[in-house]
Amino acid sequence: MSAQVRAVAGSGVPLLAVEGLAKVYPTGKKALGGVDVVIDRPQLVAVIGSSGAGKSTFIRCINRLVEPTAGSVRLNGEDIVALDRKGLRAARRRIGMIFQEYNLVERLSVMQNLLSGRLGYVGLFAALRYRFPPEDIQAAFALLDRVGLDGYHDQRADALSGGQRQRVGIARALMQRPELLLLDEPTASLDPKTSRQIMRLVRELVAERQTPAIINIHDVALARAHADRIIGMKDGLIVFDAEASALTDAALTRIYGEEDWSRPQDADDEPAPAAAAPGSLSLIS
Ligand SMILES: Nc1ncnc2c1ncn2[C@@H]1O[C@H](COP(=O)(O)OP(=O)(O)O)[C@@H](O)[C@H]1O
Ligand SMILES: [Mg+2]
């Protein structure tokens, strides 16, 4: 646990401070128009908004999977946007990322997937060759138990159900002992009951591990039921930011416009060009 870094949080530096974060894609599309968010305690923050509102761009600019055009992202005081490649690699190990498509290595066992998470974002080859210290293996077993996958360590990832795969994704992200969790539509490929179970697990983990999480989610009811705080985005801007109980019908209309937000939206967002890769469907079980 990075006790040193966490101690900073106690001295008044917010866990996360995003300021003036903006993104213009090479196409000229202004996806993020200058966003400010401060998270000063471990809480579950849900980001809602119509397809194309900028939710994924926002979350991906935080760990620079998408390179921001302007602004700063301070994680326990350190500006991630200002880091060079080496600094960024180190900073990314402090941020756990969980995706809709799970991003597991299909042919590897659950345990191998978890241990590869300990290395940050390194390749498969390194993950296979690396000899992991016993405390990492112990931590992996404990996490598997915690996410409800006790006994699954030898199963191949491609033999698991969607819900089980997402539990592996969550456990893998937690192997890094992150200071922040980012989740981009983690339940979008799951059925409603499994989605609720995954949301409950995430909420419990935020509290247990005192780790803040930002979760993009298009399901308003799920966000309302589980998040501490809700951020509403529209056209690349934040138009709502308050505790979940303050999300009134008027606020929903501000976020979604005249769209009927009371009905579930399509299962997936309008795909960003990069997400439209053929074969991505095969990951949905
Ligand atoms: N790689 C990209 N290149 C160009 N435009 C993009 C790219 N990714 C996303 N966009 C556009 O930026 C806007 C915000 O997209 P996104 O952040 O994916 O929104 P959301 O996650 O809320 O659906 C959309 O208009 C989308 O089409
Ligand atoms: Mg998205």
Side-chain angles (χ1 to χ4, degrees), residues 23 25-32 48-60 66 184-185 216 233 236 269-274:
K23 175 65 183 179
Y25 282 107
T27 54
K29 171 73 194 176
K30 192 173 174 180
L32 216 51
I48 62 172
S50 302
S51 181
K55 303 182 296 296
S56 293
T57 302
F58 169 59
I59 219 168
R60 281 155 202 257
V66 168
D184 198 358
E185 302 278 2
N216 286 348
M233 287 191 69
D269 290 348
E270 154 195 313

Side-chain angles (χ1 to χ4, degrees), residues 25 41 45 161 223 243 252 276 284:
Y25 282 107
R41 65 206 137 97
V45 182
S161 72
E243 59 186 41
L252 281 165
I284 299 168

Side-chain angles (χ1 to χ4, degrees), residues 207-222:
E208 281 168 27
R209 302 175 72 101
Q210 292 288 290
T211 305
I214 303 176
I215 180 165
N216 286 348
I217 187 155
H218 63 256
D219 187 323
V220 172
L222 265 187

Side-chain angles (χ1 to χ4, degrees), residues 122-278:
V122 301
L124 169 61
F125 189 68
L128 280 169
R129 298 290 302 250
Y130 191 78
R131 297 182 53 153
F132 293 90
E135 57 268 28
D136 280 0
I137 292 167
Q138 229 167 26
F141 275 114
L143 270 169
L144 276 184
D145 193 20
R146 177 60 191 90
V147 302
L149 291 177
D150 190 20
Y152 280 84
H153 52 277
D154 272 339
Q155 291 259 341
R156 266 170 58 142
D158 57 11
L160 302 177
S161 72
Q164 290 169 336
R165 293 151 80 87
Q166 197 52 288
R167 287 169 193 274
V168 176
I170 291 167
R172 181 184 53 185
L174 291 173
M175 279 299 288
Q176 305 172 68
R177 295 189 279 270
E179 293 157 49
L180 172 71
L181 281 173
L182 302 174
L183 303 96
D184 198 358
E185 302 278 2
T187 64
S189 305
L190 304 175
D191 64 70
K193 184 172 173 223
T194 308
S195 297
R196 287 194 296 275
Q197 291 169 340
I198 292 292
M199 280 301 282
R200 195 179 313 126
L201 175 65
V202 171
R203 182 177 45 157
E204 290 168 359
L205 289 167
V206 165
E208 281 168 27
R209 302 175 72 101
Q210 292 288 290
T211 305
I214 303 176
I215 180 165
N216 286 348
I217 187 155
H218 63 256
D219 187 323
V220 172
L222 265 187
R224 250 189 178 144
H226 296 280
D228 301 302
R229 169 178 171 187
I230 293 183
I231 289 176
M233 287 191 69
K234 186 181 184 176
D235 299 332
L237 295 172
I238 290 178
V239 296
F240 177 87
D241 184 355
E243 59 186 41
S245 60
L247 187 69
T248 58
D249 288 0
L252 281 165
T253 302
R254 187 151 27 109
I255 299 164
Y256 288 97
E258 296 310 311
E259 189 182 327
D260 185 359
W261 41 259
S262 64
R263 276 201 324 241
Q265 290 182 273
D266 289 341
D268 199 359
D269 290 348
E270 154 195 313

